[in-house]
Amino acid sequence: MGPHENPTDRSENQGAGRRKRMARRARMRRCLLKGCEQRFHPGQARQRYCSERCRAAAREWSRWKAQERYRATRAGKQKRNGQSRRYRERVKSRKPPEPEAVNEAARVIATERFFRPFLRPAGLLRELRTPAAKSFAALLFTRVPALERVEERERRWKRARDLIRRY
């Protein structure tokens, strides 16, 4: 028996070489980072995020979430309480002891311009007993550049108002 007239084997019908297979590309996915959710072609099978920046942000969130879960446990609460206690002790040791308050009224010599009703309510300086209040009073009666600017602006407005009234 001889060969068939129309053979269907690969060697004659499809040429001598093997057919090349096309490179397969994964279908598009959405980035799993909340807020990004861009569509991208993954370079690897298990790629979940579209970029290195999204991957880093997801890692940071994951660490934050793990820390939150740990802090909710009994051991985490104990550890955090210990940290807080040590911090409070450090702050106490860092602060110098406060000087005792003097029980006499502060004596402040003020100039006329500071006795305006909107700058000094009546009786503000009558009985200042603590050092903090005394230093505050001293601040009140020092010349402040911002206050000088306000006074200059008020003078200009007054001059303009007087000019308008004349005409």
Side-chain angles (χ1 to χ4, degrees):
M1 207 166 158
H4 295 282
E5 277 186 34
N6 276 333
T8 56
D9 65 345
R10 194 180 291 251
S11 62
E12 288 184 18
N13 278 347
Q14 295 183 2
R18 263 187 104 182
R19 195 169 94 186
K20 286 192 174 181
R21 182 184 270 180
M22 286 184 62
R24 185 154 174 218
R25 198 167 179 193
R27 70 180 87 152
M28 290 185 83
R29 294 181 186 169
R30 286 204 182 269
C31 180
L32 293 183
L33 184 70
K34 205 175 218 180
C36 177
E37 297 165 7
Q38 277 185 328
R39 293 176 61 83
F40 71 102
H41 282 289
Q44 297 175 359
R46 294 177 60 192
Q47 189 173 344
R48 293 178 172 91
Y49 304 101
C50 63
S51 66
E52 184 60 39
R53 197 182 79 225
C54 285
R55 195 166 26 259
R59 203 175 308 118
E60 188 176 323
W61 178 85
S62 176
R63 287 179 183 152
W64 172 82
K65 190 65 177 172
Q67 185 68 31
E68 191 177 67
R69 279 193 300 266
Y70 172 71
R71 288 266 168 90
T73 65
R74 188 184 322 175
K77 287 177 185 175
Q78 285 177 348
K79 191 169 191 175
R80 183 67 184 135
N81 287 340
Q83 288 173 343
S84 298
R85 188 180 62 253
R86 287 190 298 277
Y87 172 75
R88 286 191 300 270
E89 289 168 2
R90 271 197 316 273
V91 168
K92 261 187 211 172
S93 66
R94 185 171 52 203
K95 261 199 261 181
E98 296 228 1
E100 293 182 18
V102 180
N103 284 335
E104 52 187 71
R107 293 184 59 191
V108 178
I109 300 172
T111 58
E112 178 62 33
R113 68 179 177 276
F114 287 103
F115 286 99
R116 294 182 191 159
F118 65 91
L119 283 179
R120 187 182 70 81
L124 176 70
L125 300 176
R126 281 201 187 124
E127 292 195 27
L128 294 178
R129 300 206 182 277
T130 64
K134 288 178 185 177
S135 63
F136 175 70
L139 275 176
L140 268 180
F141 295 108
T142 56
R143 193 93 174 128
V144 179
L147 186 59
E148 290 175 0
R149 287 194 301 269
V150 169
E151 289 173 344
E152 178 59 35
R153 187 168 51 233
E154 287 175 352
R155 280 194 292 272
R156 282 197 309 263
W157 288 345
K158 189 175 180 183
R159 268 190 250 126
R161 189 181 63 218
D162 291 344
L163 285 173
I164 291 171
R165 284 184 183 167
R166 283 188 205 159
Y167 297 107

